[in-house]
Amino acid sequence: MSEKDLRALFLDTLKDIYYAEKHIYKSLPKMADAAGSDDLREAFEHHHDETERHIERLEQIFELLGKPARVKKCDAIEGILEEGKEVMQEYKDAPALDAGLLAAAQAVEHYEISRYGTLKTWATKLGMDEAAQLLDETLAEEKKTDEILSKIATKTVNAEAA
Amino acid sequence: MSEKDLRALFLDTLKDIYYAEKHIYKSLPKMADAAGSDDLREAFEHHHDETERHIERLEQIFELLGKPARVKKCDAIEGILEEGKEVMQEYKDAPALDAGLLAAAQAVEHYEISRYGTLKTWATKLGMDEAAQLLDETLAEEKKTDEILSKIATKTVNAEAA
């Protein structure tokens, strides 16, 4: 039987979300530049600052594990961010640009909510209470961001329909 | 200004999730075969049946729009399912296989929850009440599936730790 236990899976998944966060951090300024409304641009800028803290928290967890902070290519976030890029190209100057950007950003948030929820469950089970606490803080911020984006999305489609 | 309004974005995103659902439908039997526990295998089999209905509902919405049911390549689901395949390979016969499969499946569910939530908001705004109702039914089933997977995930890591 393989030695790949929950601890190994936790470390692999930590590397996956570390890669994802770094790529999200690079994408957010482009999404902010593309945004049509001030609300949406500010939401992306604010989340860019938050993402920097999320990366730092992941680095703290690598330290708690006594492991170097390394990335593992995350195909999921590559695909999700690729869809965001397509929206920026295909809907450039179009009335539905912001609605499309919001949908892309919410897909990113949901990926992160799923990953941080899973990692938190595993950290708790592995008795890594400090890591679980750090993961929970980020999870709460990702959920908050998703709620803010939902509110802007409703406002955006209302404005377009008006 | 481009003609790409909310209606165009709705149709594009419908094609994207139609592609995603078809690929999820093909992946679920492989994930069921790989699952170590009966609970998890049954959950994947049950969701496979549900996914067939989700595909049918999307086809109904294309009909309501008077458009042929067409797919649009969805890079996000390709990436997310690729991670599921990696887990099946890297964790084959490993103690953490089911935990990894669950994480992969929950990432799929969250992608769908994000997409159906967005599509439902847009359908309502576009005055497509029947489509909004169909999207809401699928959204509720995806959320339910995510909850079931969360419960199995807690049970799975408890069993592994025992």
Side-chain angles (χ1 to χ4, degrees):
Chain A
M1 185 173 269
S2 154
E3 283 309 303
K4 290 221 151 203
D5 59 7
L6 191 62
R7 208 176 171 85
L9 183 61
F10 180 82
L11 183 61
D12 273 352
T13 309
L14 203 65
K15 290 175 184 172
D16 171 284
I17 191 73
Y18 188 51
Y19 178 101
E21 288 282 21
K22 287 189 161 211
H23 279 70
I24 294 163
Y25 186 76
K26 273 189 231 165
S27 296
L28 280 164
K30 292 172 205 163
M31 292 176 81
D33 280 349
S37 81
D38 290 346
D39 273 5
L40 186 53
R41 197 187 58 249
E42 280 160 25
F44 286 150
E45 284 168 356
H46 175 71
H47 193 53
H48 187 244
D49 294 341
E50 268 182 353
T51 302
E52 195 171 356
R53 289 204 299 279
H54 299 175
I55 292 171
E56 286 164 6
R57 283 191 196 124
L58 291 173
E59 288 164 353
Q60 285 178 54
I61 299 172
F62 279 110
E63 251 190 78
L64 288 168
L65 284 167
K67 302 279 183 189
R70 295 249 166 86
V71 296
K72 182 183 182 186
K73 184 167 178 278
C74 170
D75 291 308
I77 206 68
E78 296 254 318
I80 295 167
L81 292 174
E82 184 56 38
E83 293 204 341
K85 268 189 232 165
E86 275 174 31
V87 165
M88 284 191 259
Q89 285 161 5
E90 291 177 23
Y91 285 82
K92 195 175 187 299
D93 300 324
L97 171 67
D98 275 8
L101 285 175
L102 279 154
Q106 289 195 276
V108 172
E109 287 315 303
H110 271 275
Y111 181 70
E112 295 190 279
I113 289 167
S114 138
R115 278 289 173 254
Y116 282 109
T118 293
L119 283 166
K120 183 190 146 190
T121 302
W122 294 345
T124 305
K125 182 47 58 187
L126 292 166
M128 299 175 58
D129 295 343
E130 202 176 334
Q133 176 60 34
L134 290 165
L135 293 163
D136 193 48
E137 284 169 30
T138 299
L139 178 60
E141 286 175 7
E142 303 290 9
K143 284 184 179 171
K144 186 80 205 282
T145 299
D146 185 54
E147 277 168 33
I148 291 168
L149 294 175
S150 283
K151 276 183 201 154
I152 300 177
T154 305
K155 219 171 128 183
T156 299
V157 290
N158 284 338
E160 202 213 328
Chain B
M1 187 174 265
S2 153
E3 282 309 304
K4 291 222 150 203
D5 59 7
L6 191 60
R7 206 175 173 86
L9 183 62
F10 180 81
L11 184 60
D12 273 351
T13 309
L14 204 65
K15 289 175 183 172
D16 171 283
I17 191 73
Y18 188 51
Y19 179 101
E21 288 282 21
K22 287 190 161 210
H23 279 71
I24 294 163
Y25 186 76
K26 272 190 231 164
S27 295
L28 280 164
K30 293 172 204 162
M31 292 175 81
D33 280 349
S37 81
D38 289 346
D39 274 5
L40 185 53
R41 196 186 58 249
E42 281 161 24
F44 286 151
E45 284 169 355
H46 175 72
H47 194 52
H48 187 244
D49 294 341
E50 268 182 351
T51 302
E52 195 170 356
R53 289 204 299 280
H54 299 174
I55 292 171
E56 286 165 6
R57 283 191 198 123
L58 291 173
E59 288 165 354
Q60 286 177 54
I61 299 172
F62 280 111
E63 251 190 76
L64 289 168
L65 285 167
K67 301 278 184 191
R70 295 249 166 86
V71 296
K72 182 183 182 188
K73 184 168 179 276
C74 170
D75 291 308
I77 205 70
E78 296 254 318
I80 295 167
L81 291 175
E82 185 57 39
E83 293 204 341
K85 267 190 233 166
E86 274 174 31
V87 165
M88 284 191 259
Q89 285 160 5
E90 290 177 24
Y91 285 81
K92 197 175 187 296
D93 300 324
L97 171 66
D98 275 9
L101 285 174
L102 279 154
Q106 290 196 274
V108 171
E109 287 316 302
H110 271 276
Y111 181 71
E112 295 191 278
I113 289 167
S114 138
R115 278 290 174 253
Y116 281 109
T118 293
L119 282 166
K120 184 190 144 190
T121 302
W122 293 345
T124 305
K125 183 47 58 187
L126 291 166
M128 299 175 59
D129 294 343
E130 203 176 333
Q133 176 59 35
L134 290 165
L135 293 162
D136 193 48
E137 284 168 32
T138 298
L139 178 60
E141 286 174 8
E142 303 291 9
K143 284 185 179 170
K144 185 80 205 281
T145 298
D146 185 54
E147 277 168 33
I148 292 169
L149 294 174
S150 283
K151 275 183 201 156
I152 300 177
T154 304
K155 220 171 126 183
T156 299
V157 290
N158 283 339
E160 203 213 324

